[in-house]
C-alpha cells in the first residue's frame, strides 16, 4: 500500500454527545479515507460502551496509549481538560481537532509555538456559528469591529460563574435581558460552558480582547441564537444562526457536531471548499 493510499488513523478523547456522534460518522461515513483506531474517556465505561457498538476493542488504556495509535486526535471533553490534552497530543507531533475551544484560548500563543516546533496541526471547527469563512478572509485586510450576540433561554445560563456572582435570578426573567456585555476574554471566564463560539470567533478574527460579546437571556426562544456583525475594509458581514439542540445532549448544538464532521471531511478529502 502506498503512502497515498494509507487511511488516516483517528482517535477520540471524550465519548459524550460529540465524541460518540463523530465516532459513528467516521465509521459509517469516512471509512474509505479514515479509520477509528482508539477511544478514550476519563469514565472508562463510556469508551468501552461506545467501542462495543462497533464490535471492536477500541478503548484505550490511557491518553498516551490513544495518542500513540492515532495520526489525528479529536478532543471532545470539557473546557478545563482541553489544554493539557492538546499539549500532550502536539508534544508527540500528532494533529488535533479541538471542540472545547473556550479552554485553550488563553494558551493560544503557547500552542501555536508548539505546533511550529513539533510540526503538528490544530483544527478548530466553526461550531455553532456561521461567518467564520468571511471573517478569515476579511482579517487578511483590516477589520474594524466584531460583535457576537448570543441569545439563549434563561435556564441555559444556570450555574454560570457570572450569574452566581451577580446573584441573577434567572427564573424572574420575563423579557429579553442583556446579562453581560464585554470582550470575549471576559465572556469566556464569566460563561465558560456557553461560549466556545466566542473563542472560535476571536481566534479567526481580531482576538479575545477586541471581540465584543453580548449575552442575552430570552424567555421567548427555544433555540440558541448567535448573531455576528463584522465591519471590515472588505465590507459588512451579518450572520444569524438559530441552533437546534443535539438529540443526545441539550447543552450542545446539532450544528456544532455537523461542523466537526465537515472539518473532518475537509481534512480527509482532496477538494476543499470555503476559506
Ligand atoms: N466548538 C463548539 O462549537 C462546541 C459546541 C458544543 C460543545 N462544544 C464543547 O465540546 C466539548 C464536548 O461536548 P459534549 O456535548 O460531547 O459533552 P459531553 O458532556 O456529552 O461529553 C464530554 C465527555 O468527556 C469526558 N471527559 C471529561 N473530562 C475528560 C478528560 N480529562 N479526559 C477524557 N475524557 C474526559 C466526559 O466523561 C464525557 O464523556 C465540551 O467542552 C463542549 O463545551 C464545543
Amino acid at each position: 500500500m502506498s503512502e497515498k493510499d494509507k487511511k488516516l488513523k483517528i482517535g477520540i478523547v471524550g465519548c459524550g454527545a460529540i465524541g460518540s456522534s463523530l465516532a459513528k460518522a467516521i465509521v459509517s461515513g469516512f471509512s474509505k479515507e479514515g479509520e477509528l483506531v482508539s477511544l478514550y474517556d476519563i469514565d472508562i465505561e463510556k469508551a468501552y460502551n461506545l467501542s462495543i457498538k462497533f464490535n471492536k476493542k477500541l478503548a484505550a488504556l490511557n491518553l498516551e496509549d490513544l495518542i500513540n495509535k492515532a495520526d489525528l486526535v479529536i478532543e471532545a471533553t470539557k473546557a478545563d481538560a482541553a489544554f493539557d490534552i492538546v499539549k500532550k497530543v502536539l508534544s508527540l507531533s500528532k494533529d488535533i481537532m479541538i471542540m472545547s475551544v473556550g479552554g485553550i484560548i488563553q494558551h493560544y500563543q503557547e500552542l501555536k509555538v508548539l505546533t511550529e516546533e513539533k510540526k503538528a496541526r490544530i483544527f478548530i471547527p466553526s461550531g455553532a456559528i456561521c461567518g467564520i469563512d468571511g471573517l478569515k478572509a476579511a482579517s487578511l485586510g483590516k477589520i474594524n469591529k466584531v460583535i457576537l450576540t448570543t441569545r439563549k433561554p434563561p435556564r441555559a445560563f444556570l450555574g454560570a460563574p457570572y450569574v452566581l456572582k451577580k446573584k441573577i435570578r434567572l427564573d424572574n426573567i420575563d423579557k429579553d435581558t442583556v446579562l453581560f456585555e464585554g470582550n470575549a476574554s471576559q465572556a469566556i471566564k464569566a460563561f465558560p460552558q456557553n461560549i466556545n463560539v466566542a473563542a472560535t470567533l476571536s481566534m479567526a478574527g481580531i482576538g479575545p480582547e477586541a471581540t465584543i460579546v453580548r449575552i442575552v437571556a430570552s424567555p421567548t426562544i427555544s433555540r440558541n441564537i448567535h448573531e455576528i456583525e463584522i465591519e471590515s475594509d472588505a465590507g459588512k458581514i451579518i450572520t444569524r444562526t438559530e441552533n437546534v439542540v443535539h438529540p443526545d445532549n441539550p447543552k450542545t448544538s446539532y450544528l456544532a457536531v455537523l461542523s466537526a464532521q465537515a472539518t473532518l471531511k475537509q481534512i480527509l478529502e482532496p477538494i476543499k471548499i470555503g476559506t
Side-chain angles (χ1 to χ4, degrees):
M1 189 185 267
S2 75
E3 216 17 60
K4 250 185 141 180
D5 297 327
K6 259 174 62 180
K7 287 187 187 184
L8 186 78
K9 295 191 180 82
I10 305 166
I12 298 179
V13 187
C15 302
I18 294 183
S20 302
S21 297
L22 291 178
K24 284 175 209 153
I26 293 163
V27 172
S28 61
F30 299 120
S31 60
K32 228 171 91 195
E33 309 89 353
E35 184 186 359
L36 182 65
V37 292
S38 193
L39 296 168
Y40 174 68
D41 196 290
I42 201 152
D43 179 346
I44 300 282
E45 280 218 345
K46 281 194 171 178
Y48 178 76
N49 289 338
L50 184 57
S51 174
I52 54 178
K53 287 198 176 133
F54 307 118
N55 288 325
K56 286 187 177 168
K57 288 186 177 161
L58 298 174
L61 301 172
N62 50 43
L63 180 59
E64 287 71 18
D65 178 32
L66 177 138
I67 300 171
N68 285 328
K69 286 178 182 149
D71 306 315
L72 170 73
V73 175
I74 299 176
E75 178 283 326
T77 61
K78 57 179 186 163
D80 57 11
F83 176 57
D84 282 347
I85 294 169
V86 175
K87 222 160 92 168
K88 271 191 193 138
V89 172
L90 295 177
S91 300
L92 291 169
S93 297
K94 302 292 177 82
D95 295 340
I96 186 156
M97 186 198 293
I98 304 171
M99 294 309 298
S100 311
V101 201
I104 60 121
I105 183 138
Q106 306 299 344
H107 310 281
Y108 180 74
Q109 283 309 327
E110 183 181 341
L111 293 176
K112 193 162 176 267
V113 170
L114 203 53
T115 56
E116 285 155 12
E117 274 173 23
K118 297 291 177 182
K119 310 240 172 308
R121 293 175 298 171
I122 292 178
F123 300 99
I124 298 181
S126 303
I129 48 173
C130 296
I132 293 291
D133 51 351
L135 177 59
K136 274 169 62 186
S139 66
L140 298 179
K142 186 170 181 302
I143 303 224
N144 304 313
K145 190 165 83 179
V146 180
I147 302 177
L148 164 70
T149 303
T150 290
R151 273 193 182 74
K152 293 187 177 184
R155 66 179 181 283
F157 301 109
L158 270 174
Y162 187 84
V163 169
L164 297 175
K165 193 173 156 209
K166 299 268 173 190
K167 297 191 171 59
I168 298 170
R169 291 285 308 269
L170 294 167
D171 45 356
N172 285 352
I173 292 177
D174 56 4
K175 58 176 189 318
D176 276 20
T177 304
V178 178
L179 296 184
F180 170 93
E181 189 161 353
N183 67 24
S185 204
Q186 295 160 335
I188 289 156
K189 287 187 195 120
F191 295 88
Q193 304 303 325
N194 285 289
I195 215 72
N196 284 304
V197 289
T200 304
L201 189 70
S202 302
M203 286 190 275
I206 53 178
E209 304 307 321
T211 303
I212 304 297
V213 177
R214 200 179 289 137
I215 294 183
V216 181
S218 176
T220 54
I221 58 169
S222 56
R223 294 178 176 178
N224 297 339
I225 302 174
H226 300 294
E227 286 167 332
I228 293 169
E229 192 186 328
I230 301 160
E231 274 181 22
S232 79
D233 284 0
K236 187 167 179 150
I237 301 169
I238 294 176
T239 73
R240 176 182 163 101
T241 314
E242 295 189 10
N243 284 289
V244 169
V245 298
H246 190 277
D248 299 336
N249 183 350
K251 285 186 295 171
T252 288
S253 300
Y254 187 30
L255 188 68
V257 180
L258 296 178
S259 159
Q261 287 181 31
T263 303
L264 201 51
K265 201 163 178 269
Q266 287 254 40
I267 297 169
L268 293 170
E269 292 186 347
I271 298 177
K272 318 224 186 271
I273 301 169
T275 48

